[in-house]
Amino acid sequence: MTTNPRPWLAARRATQAPGALDWQKDARCVGEPIATFFPEATDDKEAALERARELCFDCPVARACLDHALMRPEKYGTWSGLDQEERAAERRRRLRNNTLWRAA
């Protein structure tokens, strides 16, 4: 049995498949202003991050959101309650453990 030399390619294609982002309709953040997750330079970034984390804390799709953000990878904003640096650390952790590309 051979292993896939480019697992990221299969993961990216999976997120582009029809229905791959259906989880978003069940997110607690539906209807929330985009500035909560992508604050402008003039916005209070700490308040926006706190509000995003509050919404994400017990969101039923937080795992799918984080998996999506790590597989893309999303470079900006707050995803699943994690900012850019926290997502980068989680991505490195998953790469070390070889768990980034596994299905949730």
Side-chain angles (χ1 to χ4, degrees):
M1 182 171 133
T2 61
T3 59
N4 184 350
R6 297 182 293 174
W8 55 268
L9 188 57
R12 179 157 293 172
R13 285 182 181 145
T15 63
Q16 294 171 346
L21 300 177
D22 284 351
W23 56 266
Q24 291 181 339
K25 69 182 181 323
D26 297 323
R28 287 190 64 213
C29 61
V30 170
E32 189 72 21
I34 194 73
T36 301
F37 302 94
F38 298 92
E40 297 290 330
T42 57
D43 294 339
D44 183 353
K45 291 184 180 186
E46 288 302 316
L49 181 59
E50 184 177 326
R51 174 67 180 146
R53 287 186 171 156
E54 192 178 283
L55 287 166
C56 297
F57 177 70
D58 61 353
C59 179
V61 297
R63 171 77 187 255
C65 178
L66 181 58
D67 289 346
H68 169 80
L70 295 177
M71 284 193 293
R72 296 297 303 160
E74 295 289 351
K75 293 182 182 180
Y76 305 102
T78 303
W79 292 81
S80 194
L82 302 181
D83 65 17
Q84 296 93 318
E85 292 83 20
E86 293 165 328
R87 281 195 317 281
E90 176 64 12
R91 184 176 170 77
R92 287 189 301 272
R93 185 190 70 75
R94 289 187 184 192
L95 285 169
R96 273 194 313 272
N97 296 332
N98 197 28
T99 59
L100 182 60
W101 313 115
R102 292 187 188 152

